[in-house]
Amino acid sequence: MPLNRNQFVRFVNVHKAYDVNTLVVKDLNLDVANGEFLTLLGPSGSGKTTTLMMLAGFEEPTSGDIILDGRSINGIPAYKRGVGMVFQNYALFPHMTVGENLAFPLQARGMSRADQKTRILQALDMVKLSAFADRRPAQLSGGQQQRVALARALVFEPSLVLMDEPLGALDKQLRDHMQLEIKHLHQRIGVTVVYVTHDQTEALVMSDRVAVFNEGRIQQVAAPAEIYQNPQTDFVAQFIGENNRLEGRVAEISHNESTIVLKDGTTVRSGSVAGTTSGEKRILSVRPEAILVGSDAANLPNSFYGNVKEIVYLGDHVRLIIPFGGPEELSIKLTHRRAAAISVGDQVSFGWKPEECRALV
Amino acid sequence: MSTLDIVDDTTGVSLDRRALRRSLHRVGRRQRLLSLSLVAPLGAFTLVFFVIPILAFFVFSVANTEVPRGLPLTTEAIKEWQGDGLPPEGVFEALTSDLENAENRTAVIGAARRLNYDVAGFHGLMTKTVSGLSRGALEAGAPVESSPAPDGFSIFGNDTTPTESTTAKPQTPIERLTGIDARWSQERYWKAIERGTWPVTPLYLLTALDLRIGDEGSIERVSPDHRIYLTLIARTFGVSASVTLIALILGFPLALFIKRQPANRASLIMFLVLVPLWTSILVRTTAWLVLLQGEGLLNDLIVMLHLSETRLPLIHNRLGVLVAMVHICLPFMILPIYSVMKGIPPSYTRAAASLGAAPARVFFKVYLPLVFPGLAAGVLLVFIMCLGFYVTPALVGGPRDQMLSYFIAMAVNRDLNWGLASALSIILILIVALTLLVFKRFASATLAR
Amino acid sequence: MTTTPLERIAASAVASVAIMVLLFLIVPLVVAVPLSFNSEPYFSYPMPGFSLRWYGELFGNDIKGLEWRNAFLNSVFIGICASILATVLGTSASLGIARGDLPFKQALQAMMLSPLVIPVVVYATGVVYFFARISLIGTYSGLIIAHALLGTPYVLITVTASLSGFDRNLTKAGLSLGAPPWMVFRKIALPLIAPGVASGALFAFVTSWDEIIVTLFLAYPDQQTVPRRLWAGVNEQLSPVVIAASTILFVITLGLLVVVEVLRRRNIRLSGTI
Ligand SMILES: Nc1ncnc2c1ncn2[C@@H]1O[C@H](COP(=O)(O)OP(=O)(O)O)[C@@H](O)[C@H]1O
Ligand SMILES: [Mg+2]
């Protein structure tokens, strides 16, 4: 049993450099709770894989400590860590059958043949591949290979499983399906999962918590809803979901609201941000679906008029593009029904609640 | 693990690079040591059993130990000589003692052979002098009073019976030596001995370039009838270039042909190309002998078809060497060309054709440049292989078709002239290295283009 | 696809040259083979009769047959030992190089591949002097070492090539599944690079099997090998026995090539790129 349920895995002041010029991971402090599904989300090259490799034991931190279940694992070789891993290209052993692939970690642990057999059957059953034990990986579809990789990482019942973009090679439909399947599997067996992806939807769908990475630094760690609704930095707001970005300066601060003046002088009221002093530059962030149009908008504290520049058809909804705040444009999400009466060039009223809008650094 | 004082570069404070470098070094060291320890056995094996023997062998090209070993007293005495006129009498005396020292006979023979490389006829001179001296000693009696170097004489005297002789008048060492052979009064023989006492000698390297140190001490070309090595180097180069060119001309169409065949037939033809490659060179040479010799199959055919009335000389000449060498080298030309051709997607030439280029233009302007790396690799491989050929020219060539390798082997095996073998080897290796260098330059230049 | 007359002419020109070159490559190898079955010791067609007498001499119980068989056994013994030595050393070195963090990589690689470009006579001369000083002249160990050395670059090349197609993630996967490095190597890396190792071993064997120059320099007269006997046979009066021996070697070569082809197919199947 872990010493502390919430600190099953701990990164303490971890830095990582491959060369003297760049720190690929900078001052990483991160706790992963036992049984948690934590996702490292970030653009390509942001240091997610490196972080995972340090946890798996394939890279050593340049400085700092990684603690697993209360013990520092610095210097412990990968094969002694007992951490399961799923690779992006699955890394199934091509010369072994599915069954032999699954038997490999059990043989390494010196398990008896009979026990191996029951474990393998259980694991294959879990990923619904019982009939495929004698196939070679090359004889399986991409989705099936993915599931074998999953089963292989779980068959020796590790307490921690790492997955590095495991769905990256699948097509969209299969990916959507596997996201839920992995999520349900996690809920059923309760293993701790650290998952890496650059796909924000994947992160939001699957995770208990998401750690957003940018340039080797954690921007925010929070539950998916929190990350989406309450991004703490401009980067997080930009990276997760769609977002209108307006530059301005702080004019006034009250205890839970602030007033921002945009470049063309428009004043906007937003939820307050701690530590802000007037005159500072800030970036306002508003989600397209948070902006209301027409009569709904008229009574809001942030209420404006503008001319529709463009209407973009997007299948299940449309976007209005309206110039606003100087050089910028707002993108507004609207249902077909509401957009029916609007055409390009029309003047419309629009607005949003101050709490739907954040002034970010 | 201690926490390093690393400061983030985005905050404007610079990284503590020294600490970082140290830490990086420490982290990677175990891994690097593991890599090194995997490579070390072969590295050491190659170093000990390949690099060192060859380097040690190269030392022979300048080694100059025979004269000091065979003529130690002369080596010491000749230091006094200024180099003009004949050496002083002490040198004659020392040489006399050295030559009369029977215990050192093998080393004296070595010195004689070494001096003969420098001045032709020296070996004969030495032999004559040694026997002349011993005969003289028998006649004159061992304890020649005028000898100030009794050591050599006493040793010599031990295995001969001193006979009392009053008729022989005492001779100076100069008189004795010049009396045995007048050549001892010529400066050039003494100069050769003096050159033999240098710590290193340019003799072999000069010989390998048909040069010598003349009587005036300057470097000059050897007399025309002794010039063999430049011709030999040129021949080695020429034969290699011819074989490479012929192999290229024959190999390229075959590679092109294989590339255009359906996969199954292509691999069958590749099999046929590989069969000769894997067949022992000696087996193949045997086959050529059966085919090409005077009583051989090809001559049978020629006579049968009345193409020629007499049997043609097809082997033990340049023709035989070229044919057999091309046969051996062709697969090495075809393989790299074909493998590059296989890697060229047809879309390139199709694109060129769709842009309106005529087939010939597509071939020369698009296809050939794409295949070029394969051609270059084949040419390099074959040319370097050819430079070192020994077995084939030795078996199917005539005396005038032998290449550098043959002369290296002969210098060691027949003449025991390790210095010359070493010098010729150095020249051969230099040609190989130069070729590699030129190709490397060439390759990086074409890549940069 | 349409072709112009000029293209067709060019294509048939290429084809005819290619076929002639193929004939040039193959015919000399096979044309002498029937002569080894000639009943008379002449090298001309038509043969007066068929006979196995030359093979009989090779396999006979007289001194000649014994010598040939002795040479054959020597060649096989030296070849196998040299091949094993070269394969172990070359495979290990390839693994070290493939790890990617080898210090002095360029220099080490150049040194280990240098036996490919240094003319064998130069090596033979150097090694004969060196071996004389360490008393390896005329010993089997000396021959095996020298032959193995000439084979190591081939092992290095083939194994490095097969490692370049090896997914490093497989090693990581193996380690993450709890297998210690040695087990990962034996159960995962080795089976997957086995075709490369095997063809390297075969190359090394053939290098030794074919080697004549170093053998001529290093071996004592009683250390006969097949190439040495052939060399003597060719240098003296060419006899049908030599042709018979050549034929046997040729057949062995064909057999080895078939093995290589099978290995290649197997390699393709395993790597899944059919
Ligand atoms: N083995 C390595 N050696 C040197 N640099 C590396 C290595 N692995 C990753 N990097 C560099 O580190 C940075 C982060 O890489 P990575 O952790 O793979 O990012 P992500 O997985 O988020 O895409 C990248 O700039 C990458 O080029
Ligand atoms: Mg990554």
Side-chain angles (χ1 to χ4, degrees), chain B residues 32 36 39, chain C residues 101-112:
Chain B
R32 283 196 302 275
L36 202 57
V39 174
Chain C
D101 56 357
L102 181 70
F104 319 112
K105 181 175 162 189
Q106 297 279 324
L108 280 171
Q109 243 176 330
M111 181 181 83
M112 293 186 300

Side-chain angles (χ1 to χ4, degrees), chain A residues 44-45 47-50 88 164-165 196:
Chain A
S44 167
K48 310 179 298 287
T49 298
T50 302
Q88 175 165 2
D164 191 358
E165 315 221 7
V196 162

Side-chain angles (χ1 to χ4, degrees), chain B residues 267 271 274, chain C residues 256-266:
Chain B
S267 59
F271 187 82
L274 289 174
Chain C
L256 286 182
L257 259 179
V258 170
V259 171
V260 171
E261 183 64 13
V262 169
L263 280 177
R264 198 179 65 85
R265 298 248 158 113
R266 195 177 123 84

